[in-house]
Amino acid sequence: MNRTWIIVGATSSMARAFARKVAEDGCHVLLAGRDLADMKRTKKDCELRGAPSAYAVMFDARKPGTFDEICVKAAVQDGEINVAVFVGSMPEQSAIDTDPTLIDGTIQDSFTGPAQLLHRLAPLMEERGCGTVIGVGSVAGDRGRLSNYVYGSAKAGFHTYLAGLRNRLGRSGVHVVTVKPGFVDTAMTWGIEGMFLVAAPESVADDLLKAVKKKRNTIYTPWFWRYIMLIICHVPEFIFKKLKI
Amino acid sequence: MRWNQIKYAGWGNVLTADTQVARPERHSALEELITDCDHILPIGSQRSYGDAAIATEGKGLKTERMDRLLDFDPDTGTLEVEAGIKLGEILRLFAPRGWKPAVVPGTGMTTVGGAIANDVHGKNHHIDGSFGQHVESLVLLTADGNARRISRKKEAGLFKATIGGVGQTGLITSAILKLHPCPSTTMSVSENRIANLSDFVDAFEASTAPYQVGWIDTLAKGGDLGRGILEEAEFSAQPAATIMNQKTKSIPMTPPGFAVSGPIVKIFNALYLRRVPVDGRTVDRPINEFFFPLDKISDWNRLYGKKGFYQFQCVLPMERAKDGLSDLLEIVSDGGIASPLAVLKKMGEGRAGYLSFPMEGYTLAIDLPNRAQTPAILSDLAEVTERHQGRIYLAKDGAISSDAIARMYPEIGKFREQVNKVDPGHKFISAMAKRLNLRGQS
Ligand SMILES: Cc1cc2nc3c(=O)[nH]c(=O)nc-3n(C[C@H](O)[C@H](O)[C@H](O)COP(=O)(O)OP(=O)(O)OC[C@H]3O[C@@H](n4cnc5c(N)ncnc54)[C@H](O)[C@@H]3O)c2cc1C
């Protein structure tokens, strides 16, 4: 059967690594993101690696008008439709402290924008009765903390949305995977102090594909973050509120 | 674009840098990166052993995330790629479709940019020449922030300065390569024991194989000097597409230096040679294992311990080969530091840049652990190389003097003219360029 992956936030290195793998696996690829010139290069890369077709379209989480084209392009693809959402933005917490209006954009990029897009694609996927949604959240969404709680709360919202979507789409044979990456070696983390156990985007992409195959609900990548977060989530609040992590 | 303060080393782990490095992922970020800093150096996979990719004079720009396929014509095998893509990745993707890079060095981790900037050679140099000869054109982002496509027809001088130009003319952002047909993903490899140096050269001269490489036991002396194994290979008649397993192992920690101490190396070399039966054998090998035998362990260089190692590689002209090689091997076998296997290859005339390494003759590469007596041995080796009208390879060097380099590379004047014209402010600069005065002090 024809398989298509819609890859949202396609300019990130994680998305690029994922796009390559599904392209080599023979899937059609629809790349959606903000830097069209860059995505055109990735589109060609995907075609040359084995995607029977690849497209690059504009997507801006803050401009729902840009979702139309994605939905139209998805509808004309035969067969199984899959979506992987890699978007999100994390301004410095200090920048948000000086300009709280930045909160709106962070939430649009990391939660409400992708949620709206998924909501619009959901009926099509239900109709096809197959396929997978991958939503990339973050370990930051598991507990609010000093250094990035706005980003964290947006991702927490996204996690909850994905859980609900899983509940809904599961009834029609569509699976939803929630992904919580720890530190990944991307442009976002390059040169940031305090990074440890950083995962390569390629190994994250491998984990995603494994999760799709095994129909996992929520995964941490790399896997040991499940245990790091288990500990972090179990620190009593009266202690946690004094920590600086 | 963020800069990351990092410490890194050449492959030999002797020469190091501690500087700010950017790792752009998008094409659109490049121009600003180049124009925004005073001095910068492109960095590939850091598979050069010495200081070719060491940025002590400014910042560094890692190309590894600019690694996409841009265009391919299946009729002619013409492939356009971003310069950060690794040759092993091109082989993995295209060998099953019947194409391979025309030239690959001994590690698939080498990026296209690094392969051009050192004009690398492979086991087929005697027939197919150097990597740069199969580059149709490339896009160079120069010190002024402008990108230009250059080739043998367009700005030929700058093109020849860029191939083998160790990153000094600018950042190569993409290149168009002529791939070669790859009739099989399996190689048929014949291995034969060779008794001594003179036999080795004779065996190379007699061989008609498209791919050849010799392994020499550097511990052998006297009448055994230069004994080893000659590997000759061609594409197997078996067309079956073997799945290429890219699984690698890594070395979990830096082991103590004794991992390559005399007795251990002695045992290793002996086992390696004896693996091949007395009257030789022919075996089938997956293409990637044949070309990149060392890539199975991703960071084997750490076996040399914290002090690291040097690799010495030179080429000697044909008529001096037997004498010269024997002088070189004597220095090593008498030097008292155990070197694991050395590599011997025959070279043709093929070269594509002013500072390209190859010349018709024989090339010898020897790993030398970094010990107290190593600098003296390296300088003896360099002296013998010069005496036999040979040349030392920049991709490996971390020790030679600037005067010797100028004598070994007769076209260095043309290189300097081009590089100083395109980058008068010396924006692109490496520790090596400074150490060897590659640009010529104006
Ligand atoms: C195990 C092993 C086996 C090897 N076998 C061979 C062999 O058989 N034959 C051979 O010829 N070599 C061989 N080499 C050497 C290796 O192929 C070269 O050193 C090659 O240049 C390494 O490429 P790199 O991508 O790691 O570049 P680096 O080592 O990171 O950089 C090399 C040079 O290229 C420049 N450079 C890199 N990218 C760009 C760019 N995009 N634009 C402009 N300049 C750039 C750098 O500034 C630097 O001067 C071997 C090395 C190893 C470790």
Side-chain angles (χ1 to χ4, degrees), chain A residues 11 13 16 20 24 35 38 41-42 44-45 48-50 185-192 201, chain B residues 2 4 6 21-23 25-28 62 65 67-72 82 89 92-93 97:
Chain A
T11 37
S13 45
R16 209 189 267 177
R20 287 178 164 182
E24 282 182 38
D35 187 340
D38 182 74
R41 287 182 165 231
T42 305
K44 200 72 206 185
D45 186 52
L48 293 172
R49 280 167 195 267
D185 189 9
T186 62
M188 214 181 191
T189 56
W190 179 255
I192 290 201
Chain B
R2 226 180 276 120
N4 196 356
I6 44 181
V21 177
R23 188 188 58 189
E25 293 181 347
R26 301 185 202 183
H27 198 66
S28 57
K62 262 177 110 64
R65 291 279 162 102
D67 64 344
R68 287 169 286 194
L69 304 171
L70 298 176
D71 209 356
F72 180 62
E82 289 182 335
E89 176 78 345
R92 179 181 75 82
L93 291 166
R97 302 183 211 174

Side-chain angles (χ1 to χ4, degrees), chain B residues 152-289:
Chain B
R152 271 168 209 90
K153 295 195 192 93
K154 215 171 148 234
E155 301 197 71
L158 184 56
F159 189 66
K160 283 184 87 172
T162 300
I163 297 176
V166 279
Q168 301 304 295
T169 57
L171 174 74
I172 301 162
T173 61
S174 64
I176 296 180
L177 314 176
K178 290 292 245 185
L179 302 186
H180 270 191
C182 180
S184 169
T185 54
T186 305
M187 302 297 288
S188 170
V189 187
S190 299
E191 297 170 310
N192 284 293
R193 290 198 196 179
I194 306 285
N196 57 46
L197 187 64
S198 171
D199 284 6
F200 229 134
V201 172
D202 294 342
F204 268 114
E205 292 304 318
S207 171
T208 53
Y211 296 91
Q212 322 166 326
V213 61
W215 305 93
I216 289 184
D217 176 3
T218 52
L219 300 175
K221 292 187 184 213
D224 291 338
L225 191 80
R227 86 167 158 218
I229 290 174
L230 175 65
E231 252 182 62
E232 298 166 274
E234 55 188 16
F235 286 100
S236 161
Q238 251 181 300
T242 357
I243 302 298
M244 283 189 277
N245 190 346
Q246 293 260 328
K247 278 252 147 50
T248 54
K249 296 194 178 71
S250 62
I251 307 218
M253 46 171 256
T254 303
F258 67 72
V260 284
S261 66
I264 292 182
V265 170
K266 204 165 189 164
I267 295 168
F268 173 78
N269 285 7
L271 287 178
Y272 194 87
L273 296 180
R274 251 172 247 149
R275 167 183 81 89
V276 173
V278 185
D279 43 2
R281 66 172 181 189
T282 299
V283 289
D284 273 351
R285 251 184 228 142
I287 191 168
N288 52 325
E289 278 179 34

Side-chain angles (χ1 to χ4, degrees), chain A residues 1 10 26 93 96 127 151 169 179 198 204 206 227 231 234:
Chain A
M1 184 176 39
Q93 189 72 39
I96 295 177
E127 187 192 301
Y151 173 72
L169 296 182
V179 181
V198 188
V204 170
D206 282 335
Y227 301 97
I231 295 166
H234 278 81

Side-chain angles (χ1 to χ4, degrees), chain B residues 42 44-48 52 106 110-111 114 117-118 120-121 166 172 345 393:
Chain B
S45 295
Q46 293 145 249
R47 270 1 187 228
S48 297
T110 297
T111 64
N118 269 318
V120 302
H121 55 269
V166 279
I172 301 162
K345 274 189 281 211
Y393 192 10

